[in-house]
Structures are given as C-alpha cells and as structure tokens.
Amino acid sequence: ETGVTQTPRHLVMGMTNKKSLKCEQHLGHNAMYWYKQSAKKPLELMFVYNFKEQTENNSVPSRFSPECPNSSHLFLHLHTLQPEDSALYLCASSQGMGGVGYGYTFGSGTRLTVV
Amino acid sequence: AQKITQTQPGMFVQEKEAVTLDCTYDTSDPSYGLFWYKQPSSGEMIFLIYQGSYDQQNATEGRYSLNFQKARKSANLVISASQLGDSAMYFCAMREGQRSGAGSYQLTFGKGTKLSVIP
C-alpha cells in the first residue's frame, strides 16, 4: 500500500478509443499531479490540482482531459490518442503546493500503449 | 537551460561497494529543495532523501546520504554498501521556493541514472 493507488496498471488502447486513468490518494494531501514519463525523456508535468482546482496545465494537448472531483481522486480522460502518447503515466500527491520541503508521493503508474 | 543535470546515464557498482550518483542543478532562487527518488522496474517512484538549501548539514537516511555542495550547485547521492535491490533508475529533482512563471512549485526532474548492482 503506497498511499497513492493508480488503476489500471497497464492499458492498451486504440487511437479511436476513450479510456480513463484513475488515481486515489489516502494520505490526506491537498495537491495532486499527473506526470508523463516517456522513454529517454525527463518526467513531464502535465497537470496540477490544488484543493480540487487546476493550477497548472503545461500545454498538454486537449486529447488529455483531467478531472479532480475531490482532493483524494484524480482522473485523466483519454481520447483519440496518438502512438507517441504511449508512456508511463504517474500520479503524485503532496501535502502542500508551497514550501520547498514538500516532496511528492507517487503511485505505481499506468503503462499506456496506444496502437 | 536544464535545471537538473544528471550526467551519468548508467552506472555499475559491485555489491557491498559504495556508489555516487551525480546531480547538478541550476537556480537563482535562494530557497529550494533537492530530492532523490528511486524508480525500480515496477514503475513506482520512491522518495529517498531530501536536502533543503538552508540546511547546514548533509542529509542522511540509512544507507543514503546526500553530498550537498551549494557553491558548486551539486547534490550527489551516495549509496553505501550497495545491494542487489538497489538496481533501479535514480532521479534527482528540485523544487524552487519562488513563483516564477509557469511550472512553479513543481518538482523538476533530471533524466535519471540507471544503476546496476553486480553480484
């Protein structure tokens, strides 16, 4: 039990499919994040939510649509993805947005393959 | 310019030996935090150690220590007595204290170093 649970662990989807990734944290944190990790590239921050409000969207294509219904749950809705979107998608949470000492707790990730 | 630089794509170490993973960073912010994470093949990012920019002493957590050289802007991770289970990707990350445009308050990661422990 890591405190941050991501489902599914693996996902294969066609370019015309619609799917959703789910993240749930049991730590009482108030900030949640989506990261994308592609091979041979640094982790890329996609979205940031603080107290359910989106505070960052790092120029992510609209085919990725986040949703944060409450501070414990975060979704990433996927539609009409491209093969280059295949990656490991990591969810993280933290106690606060400010304060340099607040590290993140990560989930195990969803390994997405777009065919 | 890259904010976090990890120059070693891959490292090998003999079991029970110590190993140093390099990390340099770039910031003009006086307040920042430095983190190291381990990512095994399973994918999960595991927090290892934290160093604040104002901390006077180098951080230590069990077999992990952080060699913090502020003037050189380096924050190298030292793993003592390597174990086979230490084989993984290791990421250095930084969090800056001042809001400065898009992406503030986020953790910025380096590209990582793949550590392989040899029996």
Side-chain angles (χ1 to χ4, degrees):
Chain A
E1 174 61 56
T2 64
V4 178
T5 304
Q6 287 188 246
T7 54
R9 290 296 307 277
H10 301 273
L11 178 63
V12 179
M13 60 184 287
M15 289 189 284
T16 59
N17 291 158
K18 289 184 180 181
K19 296 286 184 183
S20 295
L21 310 185
K22 179 182 176 182
C23 176
E24 183 176 1
Q25 58 98 358
H26 316 278
L27 301 167
H29 290 167
N30 47 42
M32 297 187 77
Y33 313 80
W34 277 119
Y35 276 86
K36 175 184 178 182
Q37 186 179 28
S38 306
K40 299 182 181 179
K41 291 176 74 174
L43 275 82
E44 300 171 70
L45 179 68
M46 300 175 73
F47 301 104
V48 180
Y49 278 83
N50 189 36
F51 289 105
K52 305 189 303 179
E53 300 298 321
Q54 187 179 123
T55 57
E56 298 281 354
N57 177 341
N58 280 356
S59 303
V60 180
S62 60
R63 57 185 184 270
F64 295 91
S65 174
E67 178 191 0
C68 188
N70 54 61
S71 293
S72 298
H73 294 85
L74 185 64
F75 296 89
L76 188 62
H77 304 299
L78 316 171
H79 64 98
T80 59
L81 294 191
Q82 304 298 312
E84 60 264 29
D85 296 323
S86 298
L88 180 68
Y89 288 84
L90 287 162
C91 173
S93 68
S94 70
Q95 180 58 46
M97 291 252 336
V100 297
Y102 291 115
Y104 296 178
T105 302
F106 283 86
S108 298
T110 295
R111 199 165 294 278
L112 173 68
T113 304
V114 181
V115 298
Chain B
Q2 276 189 319
K3 292 207 169 197
I4 297 287
T5 303
Q6 294 180 255
T7 57
Q8 305 152 315
M11 289 278 288
F12 290 89
V13 64
Q14 204 74 37
E15 194 178 5
K16 300 180 184 178
E17 297 288 312
V19 63
T20 298
L21 306 184
D22 295 342
C23 173
T24 57
Y25 58 92
D26 181 28
T27 181
S28 57
D29 202 321
S31 175
Y32 53 90
L34 297 158
F35 301 79
W36 276 92
Y37 286 84
K38 171 185 177 182
Q39 187 180 39
S41 57
S42 59
E44 182 189 355
M45 297 282 281
I46 303 166
F47 166 74
L48 295 178
I49 196 166
Y50 163 78
Q51 179 86 42
S53 59
Y54 294 119
D55 293 344
Q56 295 296 312
Q57 293 187 324
N58 287 347
T60 59
E61 289 286 349
R63 293 186 300 111
Y64 304 108
S65 61
L66 203 151
N67 184 2
F68 181 46
Q69 297 187 45
K70 197 170 182 177
R72 298 178 63 181
K73 293 189 176 178
S74 75
N76 298 339
L77 176 71
V78 180
I79 305 174
S80 62
S82 297
Q83 302 172 355
L84 295 178
D86 293 335
S87 295
M89 284 290 292
Y90 287 81
F91 292 92
C92 180
M94 177 174 64
R95 195 168 195 183
E96 295 166 279
Q98 300 293 326
R99 190 165 188 92
S100 56
S104 303
Y105 299 131
Q106 65 174 285
L107 273 182
T108 303
F109 287 85
K111 292 186 177 181
T113 296
K114 184 174 182 179
L115 178 66
S116 300
V117 180
I118 306 166

